[in-house]
Amino acid sequence: GTKKYPKENEYNSYLSAHGGYSNAYTDLEDTCYYFEVTYDALEGALDRFSQFFIDPLFAPDCTDREVRAVDSEHKKNIQSDMWRQYQIEKELSNPGHPFSLFATGNYDTLSGAAKQLGVDLRGELLDFHAKYYSADIMKLVIVGRDSLDKLTEWTVSKFSSILSKGITKPVFKAHPLTKDEMGKLIRIKSIREQRTLDMTFSLPDIKPYYKSKPGRYLGSLIGHEGKGSILSYLKKRGWATSIVAGRSPTSAEGFDMFKITVSLTETGMQSYQDVIRVVFAFIQLLLSKGPQKWFQDELRRVSEIEYRFMEKNDTVSMASVLASTMQNRYLPPACILPDCLLLSEFNEELLEWVQAFLNPLNFRILLAARDLSVDFVSEEKYYGVNYRVDPIPAALMRDLQGVLRYDELHLPEPNCFIPDNLVVKNKVAADEPADAPTLLKLTTGLELWFKQDDRFLLPRGNIQVTIETPRAYESPLNSIFSQLFVLILKDSLAEITYDAQIAGLWFNIRESLSGISLQIDGFNDKLVKLLRILLECIKSYKVDDTQFEMYSREVRKKLDNARHAEPYNHAQTNTHFLNQAMMWRYTDKLEVFDLVTKDRLQSFIDTLFEQTRVQMLVLGNFSEDEALEAADIVLQTLDSLPLPEYARRVSRALLHNEGSYIHHESMPDEGNVNSSVDMSIYAGLTESRTDRVLMDLLLLIAQEPFFDQLRTKEQLGYITYCSDRKYSGGMMALRLLVQSESNPTYVSQRIMCFIRAFRQRLVDMTQSEFDKYVNSLKVRCEEKLKNIFEEASRFLQHISSGYYEFDRITHDLATLKAITKDSVLLFWDKYINPDSAASFKTLTSTIWSSKIYRPLAHDMARFPESIVSLHGCLWREGAEKLTLESVDQFVASVSKSAKKADDPDVFRRLVSLYKTGVPATLSEEDVAKAIEKINEPASYVRTSLEMALESRRCASMPAAAANGV
């Protein structure tokens, strides 16, 4: 809270009531706070937001909760290869540089370190705020629909009180990578099945050179994917699947780094030294040819077109990006907005100077893989990463310092996809843009929808093509073939289409339940040309030996890596599986993967498009004739028989019986400390407009209180959120998800406690508060589309659902007018309130970490969940010898005495029970700490005991009395 708004959750409650949210992130040198809210609530949000930088309270009890939130986020990242590798890069940098410090923090480095040093952590926070939260080094961006004068007035009135303390932004004078850190080969053991090569070069600070952007120039050439490129060479030999090059995101003011990252195959890892030789051969080629003005001119031309015809994006991204950009002290105000896009000059001398830093004496190598056959002699402190550091092999270093020449490598050809015709067909925007496309053509094999842009008036277009073919997903094996086919297609198209993507065109090919989908977006001038190229490749593709070997391993790697997904991802997958009529899980696919062969894949591709039905949307700066031409290209290229209506595969939702169903599963990744609960409470039909609007409104009301109670107050876990699912043809579900170190039974109980208590919140809500939520939903529904892609996505959703409800928003707004507070309460009681719903339906998917005790199935059936919950909470504190029987007997004994969980005698007996379950290996100090933790009023153990006693009390009452009748 703040002095003006002392209530702890006032800010987030206000945002939630007005359809908004907030978040923040800390980068190497900046912390960015941002929020989004409905336009009519902006002033109130700014007033609350500004107070955090003027008069924050830093309530003592909030400090520990935030430390635990940081710790929970860190534990979420422990199994993340990205975070693990980043910390190794930091640990092996210049030890005298701040870059070498721990990137995020955990409980030990915050509260633990504060106790060891004898300092007050809250006091340290106050000192940090007093020192660095100064107007001198803060940047503010406000994006709103109000006039600039009004936005300026609010800015001055609400933010002028932030003190200016006369400080300047710290600049790092040294470099994290000195000669002592260069020339090293770092090998690390990854968690996932991956093979990555990183080459990092030390650069001076190149941010002052924003006009010519040398990092973008070099990254565009080294990371090119067309003919003659590094990646093209590596792919032909089956050594790599991707390359990324450019300024490292770990650069900061005072220093820069240039990084080249190559995703290697198994053979590529074995030949990693040859891969490095190829990269340096191309760098030598760049040095010998000198800076290419024609290439920089192409980049400049594309950037100018992109900037001139820039589409609107979400406001929160725009605000946060601009605020970060403004921290670049070299940028004059006029260059802040276009900085992310525009190149304005070619500086040959500068480019030669920067290129020269890409030399063998100024880089280090990092190899990451799960199966590296080396002895790892070191272990990183915070993530437990096994690694090894050696000098770069002498023979490799000699080669890199010599002359390297590969005839296949050459500079890119001129880009033929840069648009020439940028004329907009519709000159005047419609007063009321059409809210639906026109059905231009309908046959047994084609459904063509079209809309000429009457809203944005930009030379852009969007083409969506869904090729329905039931073979694509009819079995786990065919699903693998579809996935493999799409990966190989993208690889085959890379050399041709990379220029298209550089020129502002974007495409995606993906497999789905119904078949193969194409999405193409960008400047319309060359969009149909790109469509023809994609389709010709799709129809005529012949499997190449090298590609098959390379990408079949990639698919297998992705399936193997699926087990390392976060627990909440596994819970979501299981929930989805239990609600869909057809879905193949990664485990289903792994069981049949040995049947994948090149010949079977080719046979699958040859018959995939024998019978198809094409669903197509053409939107943007096109005419009807151009839309019909695009459809003809699709049909002629596919040359398929029409797919009969009865053979179409449509998404169907499963309908669940009354009752509560729980699906338990152990976490496949044994190293992950977190578990997860994904609870669905079924409520109303997706096709009912009233039910749908009630669910949207209810979710808007419940999201923030759920997060505040279970994450902020109870500290159950970093990932905590409430959402909904709208199943086509089925019931909707209110979904409540928590990822936590606590046992899933305890988490499930806490979720149900929230559900039971939330009804009173609805009852107590004033009409004024209710009206705010209604207005927020109204404003959200009325929000204008920002770009053609958004409009196309909305249309496609209505088309692919089969309901063609293009006027859905109009109907929802009309329905919303009739919704009252009583309507919400009736909906809650009818479906979601377990004490009143006539047909209460829930499905809970739980994932159990291997780090906690998971009872056997017969124990789960034998003991009440309150006993399983309490046992799990005691087990978490170290009582690993406790049995469920002993916990059950303890609860029964306490309940007979009619004493409550906070009674001193009950606590004494609880401690005795705990001690009987503690193994001899646990030190007296750890036992004392655990008892102290258990004694905290809001401890998990006390809360669980309270629930167990309440459950026992209710179970002993007649049903009517237990329900309060």
Side-chain angles (χ1 to χ4, degrees), residues 318-429:
M318 182 180 185
S320 57
V321 168
L322 285 177
S324 177
T325 302
M326 289 169 68
Q327 288 288 2
N328 183 350
R329 61 191 175 96
Y330 300 104
L331 274 177
C335 295
I336 290 170
L337 191 61
D339 180 66
C340 61
L341 285 176
L342 281 183
L343 280 165
S344 57
E345 70 177 26
F346 174 73
N347 187 328
E348 184 173 1
E349 185 178 337
L350 171 68
L351 293 175
E352 284 181 340
W353 176 64
V354 176
Q355 281 181 175
F357 287 98
L358 306 187
N359 69 74
L361 300 178
N362 189 45
F363 91 118
R364 68 179 183 182
I365 304 165
L366 187 147
L367 288 172
R370 197 170 68 184
D371 54 0
L372 283 174
S373 55
V374 296
D375 292 327
F376 295 103
V377 296
S378 303
E379 183 176 296
E380 185 274 331
K381 178 179 179 181
Y382 301 106
Y383 294 85
V385 186
N386 294 318
Y387 69 95
R388 179 187 181 96
V389 182
D390 296 292
I392 294 175
L396 174 61
M397 188 60 83
R398 281 196 302 271
D399 288 346
L400 301 184
Q401 291 177 299
V403 177
L404 294 165
R405 182 185 176 89
Y406 295 83
D407 292 337
E408 290 180 46
L409 298 177
H410 59 77
L411 296 179
E413 300 293 331
N415 192 336
C416 65
F417 283 98
I418 296 177
D420 301 312
N421 183 357
L422 296 168
V423 175
V424 176
K425 292 179 172 62
N426 229 340
K427 305 297 183 185
V428 181

Side-chain angles (χ1 to χ4, degrees), residues 32 48 72 93 227 272 281-282 287 322 352 418 434 455 494 634 655 682 688 705 716 732 770 816 850 907 945:
C32 181
R48 287 160 176 81
S72 179
S93 63
K227 291 180 180 179
Y272 82 89
F282 192 85
L287 293 171
L322 285 177
E352 284 181 340
I418 296 177
R455 189 186 302 269
V634 175
L655 299 178
Y682 295 94
S688 166
L716 282 184
M732 297 180 292
F770 179 76
L816 183 61
S850 64
F907 176 69
L945 175 58

Side-chain angles (χ1 to χ4, degrees), residues 483-512:
Q483 187 178 359
L484 183 52
F485 179 39
V486 166
L487 276 176
I488 293 176
L489 273 176
K490 289 179 178 178
D491 176 63
S492 301
L493 288 161
E495 284 193 358
I496 307 169
T497 60
Y498 185 76
D499 277 343
Q501 295 179 66
I502 294 297
L505 305 184
W506 172 88
F507 80 92
N508 188 33
I509 306 172
R510 64 181 182 89
E511 74 280 5
S512 67

Side-chain angles (χ1 to χ4, degrees), residues 464-466 482 486 490 508-513 515-519 796:
Q464 308 264 357
V465 182
T466 299
S482 295
V486 166
K490 289 179 178 178
N508 188 33
I509 306 172
R510 64 181 182 89
E511 74 280 5
S512 67
L513 177 74
I516 304 295
S517 298
L518 283 75
Q519 298 171 288
L796 192 69

Side-chain angles (χ1 to χ4, degrees), residues 218-256:
L218 289 171
S220 297
L221 285 168
I222 295 172
H224 206 279
E225 298 180 17
K227 291 180 180 179
S229 67
I230 294 170
L231 185 61
S232 176
Y233 185 97
L234 299 178
K235 279 184 174 181
K236 286 175 183 175
R237 285 147 185 83
W239 289 349
T241 57
S242 69
I243 186 171
V244 177
R247 278 187 65 221
S248 171
T250 56
S251 299
E253 189 149 337
F255 67 89
D256 261 297

Side-chain angles (χ1 to χ4, degrees), residues 513-647:
L513 177 74
S514 59
I516 304 295
S517 298
L518 283 75
Q519 298 171 288
I520 312 173
D521 187 86
F523 297 109
N524 63 281
D525 184 33
K526 308 288 177 72
L527 218 54
V528 175
K529 175 182 178 179
L530 178 59
L531 174 66
R532 187 189 296 274
I533 290 171
L534 298 179
L535 287 164
E536 288 174 351
C537 185
I538 287 174
K539 179 63 177 175
S540 61
Y541 181 75
K542 299 300 177 186
V543 180
D544 171 83
D545 287 337
T546 302
Q547 285 182 318
F548 174 77
E549 289 299 323
M550 186 162 63
Y551 285 101
S552 61
R553 287 174 177 166
E554 282 297 300
V555 172
R556 179 62 186 255
K557 182 175 75 173
K558 287 184 179 181
L559 293 174
D560 285 334
N561 284 338
R563 63 190 290 269
H564 296 293
E566 287 291 320
Y568 79 96
N569 294 132
H570 285 286
Q572 286 177 319
T573 297
N574 290 340
T575 297
H576 190 53
F577 174 75
L578 294 167
N579 281 286
Q580 294 294 109
M582 176 178 278
M583 175 182 167
W584 307 123
R585 298 163 296 179
Y586 79 93
T587 48
D588 301 320
K589 296 177 185 180
L590 283 171
E591 286 179 2
V592 300
F593 198 88
D594 289 343
L595 297 175
V596 175
T597 66
K598 175 189 168 187
D599 290 340
R600 285 194 176 116
L601 175 61
Q602 188 64 66
S603 175
F604 169 81
I605 296 170
D606 290 342
T607 56
L608 183 60
F609 302 110
E610 285 180 343
Q611 285 186 300
T612 64
R613 183 181 185 276
V614 175
Q615 203 170 53
M616 192 167 172
L617 170 67
V618 179
L619 173 66
N621 193 37
F622 296 107
S623 64
E624 285 191 7
D625 288 342
E626 288 170 325
L628 290 166
E629 178 193 353
D632 287 341
I633 290 172
V634 175
L635 295 180
Q636 290 169 12
T637 307
L638 291 177
D639 192 24
S640 308
L641 293 174
L643 181 71
E645 188 68 25
Y646 67 81

Side-chain angles (χ1 to χ4, degrees), residues 929-950:
K929 286 181 179 178
I931 293 172
E932 182 183 353
K933 187 175 176 183
I934 291 170
N935 194 33
E936 293 174 1
S939 74
Y940 298 146
V941 173
R942 285 227 175 187
T943 303
S944 186
L945 175 58
E946 188 177 327
M947 291 191 295
L949 293 174
E950 178 66 16

